[in-house]
């Protein structure tokens, strides 16, 4: 390289270094700058609205008065204009109303202050008068109280109006309301669990959480969520206490709060009405609670953070309200069919908030706050205070550095080249031995270490960890979040393994293997509990926190065992632990080998029965409810030698993919038997053949069935296909199967209706002729006389389909089903599954009513 080139290179290098340093300093300035944020500037929108309305008034919100071609919408809000969330909602409505040609009338129900029957009657009169004067195209509803009012007066005031709700915390009522095809909306996350999780991360030594809420609808909903946390294993050892504000005066509440000390935190929920029904704003109750106690106070809502509260999570309703307006516009313009819009249970938009003074008062670490937390009242940054002195000094330092760089550039260049070569070799070695994502050992590397331990005769233990729930994390939050969680888990497991002189390796996608030399694990070894605790820690996913779990399999080495054998034992133990559910572990024992052998034996018995004519069919009668006459049979598979019952061999077949083979075998046995009966001069009723969702992959099944019907001279009307609910979920394969079966004139019967896959709305689109109600629903009705069951039967009849109630064993159950107008009955009351010979006797009976 010439001297000119060297000089040019040096100048370019120096210029680059200067630019890089300037950029780095600029970045440092940006990162260290903190803006003092005023709480009201963060959480409130300045709105230009002429006037507000109390619960017995109505106002009009329209950016342009008397606009042409606008459609009026009624906004019914549970709040009053002093509510912390009111202006967010109004701002959201206005943000979408003008561009969407929508004008609003607003009724503020002020439910916290006005919830008596006389108040409700006043609102009813106001609504009635308002509806008499104006025509409304739709209704937008905010909060539980307003939605309850709308649904209670659906037929009186709001019949046939599309309704969109938001801010509803009672999920059960929200879903119930949405059964109306003209009602849908957004269910609100109350921020209770996320605020508690935030508080416990800040104060991990907490042993008691005291929640304050009143008996308003919001208070009751949030209180219910808080009390449900007691069922969450992650809160084990923490005492959850509820204080009902409506049962205390301010003085009584302050006295109770003053008694709390270390280890306790207070969670302020929706609490506005005291014992004397006095209304307190968020700022007032925040100040009262914070000043009455010496322990940290957290809040799940908006406001009060400048009045002594420490931190919490707040919800922004502006985006949600704007979304409701857009949805209503699409409905009114007939771009969207409201009956197809499902209720959304979403995480509301919002943010974590912390008071700088509150955090400092209790000595809490800002590093423990969730990412993106807004700090209120933060002091002036380093940059604002020292910037004028710091940056000139930094430039002087840069000048010195450039001089040094210029003098030693060639020396550094050689050393850098040598260092780069060493680093490259090290990186190649590291990449060969370590997983690229997590940085822990690869599977092959740890297997080599196992072989080394076996050769040296050292005792060791293996723990195979399978992380559960990562698929849901990846699908919900993205693979970047999932990868970060895996890296965190790998690092924490690595620290644990190192404590015991071991190592950790990534065994597969979401699986890790711990190798612990010199260890012999016990059945309840604390190491295994520690691994579960590490994986089960709360993991930040951005706006919220997720909990995952793990299943563990562990094994100890034995003197004559190879490394691959011990590894196989851990896989066996892991498989058995998964069968027990998540967050379980098992230590391998010789008994597991015996059980595995038994399982393999059962598989062999079933496979032998499938392949060597070891299955037979029994037939359970189906009876007309009114006449007791036989109307059909259900064909059920059994093993001839009785070695395994259907409850055992059906799951084995499903797990091993043998359902299609069993389906064909049982279908041929059934059709052959029907043909035999017909040759003997009998006229058997239709026989139901079970057909599961797993058989959809057998695309030639219907052709196979058609060939059997021809071969055994059986008409298509003599058989029915009894399909499962899961098969009825809309998909292209199922639809094609239904059409082909109908083309063959084969009746379809839905089996086990009511266990959770399909619904009455989807039932209308499925071409089944008969619906068999699951025996669990029949039994529940016999116990508690649930009116829902009667409605189900009536609605199925309205769809033009017949109903079979199965599992009927007593006369009382039969009478119940008869009273509900079930068409057919199946169960032990009329007959157990029977052999073909006994089925002939059943066919020859005039009636199957039991004697006496």
């Amino acid at each position: 390289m010439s001297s000119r080139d060297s000089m040019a290179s040096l100048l370019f290098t120096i210029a680059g270094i200067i630019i890089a340093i300037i950029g780095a300093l600029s970045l440092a300035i940006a990162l260290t700058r903190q803006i003092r944020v005023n709480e009201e500037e963060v959480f409130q929108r300045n709105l230009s609205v002429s006037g507000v309305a109390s619960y017995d008034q109505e106002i009009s919100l329209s950016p342009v008065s008397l606009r042409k071609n606008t459609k009026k919408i009624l906004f019914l809000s549970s709040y009053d204009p002093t509510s912390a969330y009111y202006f967010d909602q109004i701002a959201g409505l206005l943000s979408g109303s003008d561009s969407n040609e929508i004008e609003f009338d607003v009724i503020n129900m002020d439910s916290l202050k006005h919830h008596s029957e006389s108040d409700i009657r006043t609102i009813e009169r106001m609504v009635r008068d308002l509806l008499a004067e104006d025509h409304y195209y739709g209704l937008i509803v905010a909060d539980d109280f307003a939605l309850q009012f709308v649904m209670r007066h659906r037929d009186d005031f709001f019949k046939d109006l599309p309704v969109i709700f938001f801010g509803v915390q009672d999920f059960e009522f929200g879903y119930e309301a949405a059964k109306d095809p003209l009602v849908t909306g957004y269910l609100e996350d109350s921020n209770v669990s996320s605020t508690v999780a935030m508080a416990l991360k800040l104060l991990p030594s907490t042993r008691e959480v005291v929640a304050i809420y009143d008996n308003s609808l919001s208070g009751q909903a949030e209180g219910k969520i808080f009390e449900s946390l007691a069922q969450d294993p992650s809160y084990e050892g923490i005492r959850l206490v509820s204080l009902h504000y409506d049962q205390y005066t301010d003085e009584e509440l302050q006295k109770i709060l003053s008694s709390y000390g270390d280890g306790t935190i207070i969670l302020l929920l929706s609490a506005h009405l005291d014992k004397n029904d006095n209304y307190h704003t968020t700022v007032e109750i925040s100040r009262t609670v914070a000043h009455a106690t010496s322990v940290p106070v957290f809040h799940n809502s908006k406001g009060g953070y400048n009045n002594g509260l420490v931190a919490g999570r707040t919800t922004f309703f502006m985006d949600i309200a704007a979304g409701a307006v857009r949805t209503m516009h699409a409905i009114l313009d007939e771009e969207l069919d409201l009956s197809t819009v499902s209720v959304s249970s979403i995480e509301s938009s919002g943010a974590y908030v912390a008071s700088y003074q509150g955090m400092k008062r209790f000595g809490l670490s800002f590093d423990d706050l969730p990412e993106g937390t807004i700090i209120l009242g933060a002091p002036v940054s380093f940059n604002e205070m020292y910037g004028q002195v710091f940056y000139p000094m930094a430039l002087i330092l840069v000048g010195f550095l450039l001089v040094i760089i210029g003098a030693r550039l060639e020396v550094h260049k050689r050393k850098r080249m040598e260092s780069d070569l060493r680093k490259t070799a090290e990186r190649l070695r590291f990449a060969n031995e370590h997983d690229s994502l997590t940085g822990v050992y690869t599977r092959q590397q740890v297997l080599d270490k196992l072989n080394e331990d076996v050769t040296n005769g050292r005792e060791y233990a293996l723990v195979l960890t399978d992380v559960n729930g990562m698929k849901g994390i990846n699908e919900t939050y993205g693979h970047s979040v999932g990868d970060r969680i895996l890296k965190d888990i790998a690092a924490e497991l690595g620290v644990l393994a190192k404590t015991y002189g071991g190592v950790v390796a990534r065994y597969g996608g979401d699986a890790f293997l711990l190798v612990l030399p010199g260890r012999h694990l016990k059945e309840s070894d604390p190491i295994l509990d520690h691994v579960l605790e590490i994986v089960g820690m709360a993991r930040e996913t951005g706006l919220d926190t997720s909990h995952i779990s793990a299943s563990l399999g562990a094994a100890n080495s034995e003197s004559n065992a190879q490394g691959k054998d011990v590894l196989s034992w851990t896989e066996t133990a892991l498989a058995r632990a998964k069968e027990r559910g998540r967050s379980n572990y098992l230590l391998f024992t010789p008994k597991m080998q015996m059980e595995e052998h038994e399982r393999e034996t059962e598989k062999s018995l079933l496979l032998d029965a499938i392949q060597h004519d070891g299955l037979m069919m029994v037939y359970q009668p189906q009876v007309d409810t009114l006449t007791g006459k036989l109307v059909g049979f259900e064909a059920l598979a059994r093993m001839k030698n009785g070695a395994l019952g259907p409850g055992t061999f059906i799951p084995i077949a499903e797990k091993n993919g043998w359902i299609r083979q069993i389906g064909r075998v049982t279908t041929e046995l059934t059709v052959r038997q029907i043909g035999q009966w017909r040759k003997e001069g009998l006229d058997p009723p239709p026989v139901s053949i079970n057909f599961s969702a797993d058989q959809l992959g057998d695309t030639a099944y219907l052709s196979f069935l058609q060939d059997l019907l021809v071969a055994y001279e059986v008409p298509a009307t003599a058989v029915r296909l009894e399909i499962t609910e899961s098969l009825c979920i809309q998909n292209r394969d199922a639809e094609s199967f239904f059409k082909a079966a109908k083309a063959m004139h084969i009746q379809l019967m839905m089996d086990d209706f009511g266990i959770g896959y399909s619904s009455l709305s989807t039932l209308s689109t499925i071409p089944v002729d008969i619906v068999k109600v699951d025996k669990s629903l029949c039994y529940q009705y016999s116990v508690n006389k649930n009116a829902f069951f009667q409605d189900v039967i009536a609605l199925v009849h309205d769809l033009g389909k017949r109903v079979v109630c199965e599992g009927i064993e007593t006369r009382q159950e039969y009478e119940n089903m008869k009273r509900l107008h079930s068409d057919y009955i199946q169960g032990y009351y009329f007959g157990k599954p029977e052999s073909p010979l006994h089925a002939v006797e059943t066919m020859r009976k005039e009636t199957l009513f039991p004697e006496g």
Side-chain angles (χ1 to χ4, degrees):
M1 179 181 293
S2 66
S3 59
R4 180 178 297 179
D5 291 338
S6 297
M7 180 60 69
S9 175
L10 179 60
L11 290 176
F12 277 118
T13 303
I14 293 175
I17 293 173
I18 293 174
I19 294 172
I21 292 174
I22 293 174
L25 291 174
S26 301
L27 179 61
I29 293 171
L31 292 176
T32 57
R33 180 181 296 122
Q34 296 181 7
I35 300 174
R36 186 187 298 266
V37 182
N38 180 274
E39 182 176 0
E40 293 303 318
E41 292 175 345
V42 174
F43 296 115
Q44 292 195 16
R45 312 293 197 270
N46 292 323
L47 301 179
S48 177
V49 181
S50 58
V52 295
S54 63
Y55 81 105
D56 56 353
Q57 289 182 293
E58 140 320 278
I59 63 174
S60 177
L61 292 179
S62 174
V64 182
S65 60
L66 300 178
R67 296 177 299 175
K68 294 182 179 180
N69 301 320
T70 60
K71 296 180 180 179
K72 267 200 169 185
I73 302 298
L74 181 60
F75 176 51
L76 198 61
S77 173
S78 301
Y79 304 104
D80 79 321
T82 67
S83 167
Y85 285 129
Y86 176 77
F87 287 104
D88 278 349
Q89 296 177 358
I90 297 300
L93 296 178
L94 288 177
S95 69
S97 60
D98 193 26
S99 61
N100 291 320
E101 299 183 342
I102 290 178
E103 182 178 348
F104 286 97
D105 281 347
V106 181
I107 297 179
N108 300 310
M109 304 179 73
D110 197 1
S111 61
L112 289 175
K113 299 178 185 176
H114 306 286
H115 49 266
S116 66
E117 288 298 324
S118 62
D119 293 331
I120 294 175
R121 286 195 292 274
T122 300
I123 295 174
E124 291 172 351
R125 289 195 298 272
M126 183 179 67
V127 171
R128 186 181 297 108
D129 294 342
L130 191 63
L131 294 174
E133 296 175 1
D134 278 308
H135 172 71
Y136 294 96
Y137 289 83
L139 187 67
I140 296 180
V141 181
D143 203 62
D144 301 72
F145 185 86
L147 181 59
Q148 289 189 6
F149 178 85
V150 169
M151 299 311 296
R152 185 164 57 247
H153 296 288
R154 183 70 167 134
D155 294 332
D156 302 331
F157 302 143
F158 312 112
K159 189 173 184 180
D160 298 329
L161 280 181
V163 178
I164 300 176
F165 62 80
F166 63 84
V168 172
Q169 297 183 358
D170 188 337
F171 279 36
E172 183 177 353
F173 180 70
Y175 283 117
E176 182 65 28
K179 290 182 179 180
D180 185 326
L182 294 180
V183 178
T184 191
Y186 307 92
L187 298 173
E188 176 191 348
D189 174 20
S190 66
N191 298 324
V192 174
S193 59
S194 55
T195 300
V196 173
M198 175 194 196
L200 294 180
K201 185 175 182 182
L202 289 170
L203 293 156
S205 61
T206 298
R207 292 294 174 266
E208 180 179 49
V209 180
V210 179
I212 304 173
Y213 52 90
D214 59 20
N215 66 346
S216 65
L217 290 178
S218 295
Q220 293 178 24
E222 293 176 1
K224 183 178 180 181
I225 294 172
F226 173 75
E227 292 173 355
S228 71
L229 297 181
Q231 308 302 318
D232 191 331
S234 61
Y235 295 102
E236 183 177 356
I238 297 178
R239 182 168 177 253
L240 303 180
V241 179
S242 296
L243 291 181
H244 298 272
Y245 186 39
D246 51 283
Q247 298 178 5
Y248 303 98
T249 63
D250 269 3
E251 292 75 14
E252 293 170 341
L253 181 64
Q254 291 172 14
K255 183 176 181 181
I256 293 174
L257 296 178
S258 66
S259 66
Y260 293 120
D262 291 344
T264 298
I265 62 174
I266 293 175
L267 178 63
L268 180 59
L269 303 179
S270 181
H272 298 282
L273 299 175
D274 64 14
K275 180 179 181 179
N276 298 323
D277 214 25
N278 295 320
Y279 176 80
H280 302 266
T281 66
T282 299
V283 172
E284 291 170 344
I285 187 61
S286 299
R287 184 185 300 114
T288 297
V289 172
H291 289 181
T293 184
S294 61
V295 302
V297 181
F298 294 83
H299 191 28
N300 71 320
S301 187
K302 183 178 178 182
Y305 295 97
N306 287 336
N307 300 96
L309 301 184
V310 175
R313 180 173 173 81
T314 185
T315 301
F316 295 139
F317 276 102
M318 182 174 178
D319 293 340
I320 300 174
V325 174
R326 290 192 295 271
T327 302
M328 181 63 75
H329 179 262
I331 293 168
L332 297 182
D333 282 2
E334 297 183 354
E335 298 173 357
L336 186 64
D337 183 358
L338 181 55
S339 65
T340 65
V341 181
S342 302
V343 172
S344 297
S345 175
I346 62 173
E347 290 285 343
S348 301
S349 60
Y352 287 98
V353 183
S355 165
Y356 182 86
Q357 295 300 328
M359 294 286 289
K360 286 293 186 181
R361 175 188 173 192
F362 293 101
L364 304 180
S365 172
F366 289 90
D367 293 336
D368 291 334
L369 290 171
E371 184 179 353
T373 299
I374 299 173
I375 310 297
L376 303 177
V380 177
S381 70
F382 174 86
N383 178 54
E384 294 172 325
M385 184 170 295
Y386 303 108
Q388 292 182 350
V389 177
F390 176 78
Y391 296 118
M393 291 184 65
L395 290 176
I396 293 173
L397 178 61
V398 170
F400 280 113
L401 291 174
L402 291 177
V403 171
I404 295 172
I405 291 172
R408 298 185 57 85
L409 182 61
E410 293 299 324
V411 175
H412 283 306
K413 186 184 297 183
R414 282 197 305 270
K415 290 184 176 180
R416 186 167 56 251
M417 290 177 62
E418 295 171 358
S419 176
D420 287 344
L421 289 174
R422 288 194 300 270
K423 289 179 180 178
T424 299
E426 182 64 22
R427 283 197 296 267
L428 289 174
R429 185 188 65 81
F430 186 90
N432 186 53
E433 297 178 353
H434 294 77
D435 177 60
S436 60
L437 173 65
T438 62
V440 299
Y441 283 117
T442 62
R443 175 175 179 173
Q444 185 58 49
Q445 184 66 19
V446 85
L447 289 177
D448 292 342
K449 182 173 179 57
L450 281 182
N451 293 331
E452 179 183 339
D453 288 341
V454 171
T455 302
N456 296 333
R458 299 177 63 192
E459 181 182 38
Y460 61 89
L462 300 182
V463 180
L464 185 56
T465 305
D466 189 23
V467 181
N468 302 315
M470 290 306 302
K471 183 175 184 292
I473 294 288
N474 290 331
E475 291 176 350
T476 304
Y477 303 103
H479 285 275
S480 60
V481 174
D483 289 348
R484 176 173 56 78
I485 291 176
L486 281 179
K487 287 191 286 187
D488 291 344
I489 292 173
E492 293 158 7
L493 291 177
V495 173
L496 174 64
K498 188 175 181 181
T499 303
Y500 295 97
V503 295
V504 65
R506 190 176 185 189
Y507 194 73
D510 302 330
F512 297 93
L513 179 68
L514 278 72
V515 181
L516 307 173
R519 295 288 301 185
H520 186 86
L521 300 177
K522 299 175 292 187
E523 288 189 3
S524 298
D525 201 289
I527 293 179
L528 302 178
D529 291 315
H530 201 165
V531 173
L532 287 182
E533 291 173 6
I534 287 175
V535 179
M537 291 171 56
R539 304 289 173 179
E540 294 295 332
T541 54
L543 296 178
D544 57 3
T545 301
S546 292
H547 293 272
I548 54 181
S549 61
S551 301
L552 310 183
N556 294 308
S557 64
E558 294 183 2
S559 57
N560 297 323
Q562 295 295 315
K564 63 180 181 180
D565 297 327
V566 183
L567 192 56
S568 175
W569 298 343
T570 63
E571 293 175 342
T572 298
L574 176 60
R576 298 298 296 276
K578 285 184 175 182
E579 293 175 0
R580 294 189 174 188
R582 296 184 173 183
S583 298
N584 273 296
Y585 61 76
L586 279 178
L587 181 66
F588 179 81
T589 64
K591 182 181 178 182
M592 290 184 187
Q593 283 184 309
M594 296 174 58
E595 291 173 347
E596 283 298 312
H597 177 71
E598 291 176 359
R599 292 189 179 194
E600 291 301 320
T601 300
E602 290 177 346
K603 286 171 56 177
S604 298
L605 287 172
L606 177 57
L607 187 59
D608 182 70
I610 295 172
Q611 297 177 343
H612 300 97
D613 193 27
L615 296 177
M616 67 177 187
M617 305 303 294
V618 293
Y619 302 88
Q620 186 171 26
Q622 297 168 337
V623 179
D624 185 283
T625 306
L626 296 178
T627 65
K629 291 183 178 297
L630 179 69
V631 295
F633 285 110
E634 180 181 4
L636 301 166
R638 299 289 187 268
M639 290 181 66
K640 289 181 180 180
N641 59 13
L644 302 175
T648 299
F649 72 73
I650 293 299
I652 293 175
E654 291 174 340
K655 183 176 181 180
N656 291 277
W658 298 338
I659 285 295
R660 298 180 189 177
Q661 293 172 264
I662 291 181
R664 289 210 173 198
V665 170
T666 55
T667 299
E668 182 166 5
L669 289 174
T670 303
V671 175
R672 181 195 301 164
Q673 184 60 62
I674 297 173
Q676 181 64 34
W677 282 333
R678 292 173 62 85
K679 285 183 179 179
E680 294 173 358
L682 298 171
D683 184 20
V687 180
S688 301
I689 301 172
N690 285 287
F691 186 88
S692 73
D694 291 337
Q695 292 177 259
L696 269 182
D698 187 357
T699 56
Y701 175 82
L702 289 178
S703 298
F704 170 75
L705 176 58
Q706 180 66 49
D707 292 341
L708 291 176
L709 295 175
V710 173
Y712 294 107
E713 299 180 356
V714 174
T717 55
V719 296
R720 295 177 179 142
L721 290 182
E722 196 163 313
I723 61 178
T724 58
E725 268 196 296
S726 58
L727 187 144
C728 297
I729 299 176
Q730 292 294 326
N731 63 70
R732 189 171 299 174
D733 290 339
E735 292 176 3
S736 300
F737 177 82
F738 294 150
K739 291 179 181 178
K742 282 298 183 182
M744 291 173 59
H745 304 291
I746 294 177
Q747 287 189 335
L748 298 178
M749 174 187 292
M750 181 187 290
D751 191 15
D752 299 331
F753 180 75
I755 61 175
Y757 286 101
S758 61
S759 63
L760 291 171
S761 60
T762 59
L763 185 61
S764 62
T765 65
I766 300 170
V768 295
D769 305 285
I770 302 173
V771 176
K772 182 185 286 188
V773 180
D774 185 67
K775 62 184 178 183
S776 62
L777 292 182
C778 301
Y779 175 75
Q780 289 174 11
Y781 178 80
S782 300
V783 173
N784 53 34
K785 301 298 187 292
N786 189 338
F788 171 74
F789 185 75
Q790 184 174 0
D791 295 339
V792 169
I793 293 179
L795 286 170
V796 172
H797 282 153
D798 291 342
L799 293 173
K801 305 177 190 299
R802 289 163 288 168
V803 176
V804 178
C805 289
E806 66 174 340
I808 306 305
E809 300 183 1
T810 66
R811 181 176 181 83
Q812 182 60 47
E813 291 175 347
Y814 161 72
E815 293 294 343
N816 290 337
M817 298 305 106
K818 178 180 178 182
R819 186 168 56 256
L820 295 179
H821 305 295
S822 173
D823 300 284
Y824 309 129
I825 298 293
Q826 181 177 338
Y828 283 11
Y829 182 68
F830 285 104
K832 299 181 179 180
E834 54 195 12
S835 66
L837 183 62
H838 286 91
V840 171
E841 297 176 4
T842 299
M843 282 186 268
R844 289 172 175 164
K845 293 180 180 180
E846 288 294 325
T847 178
L848 297 185
F849 282 123
E851 296 181 1

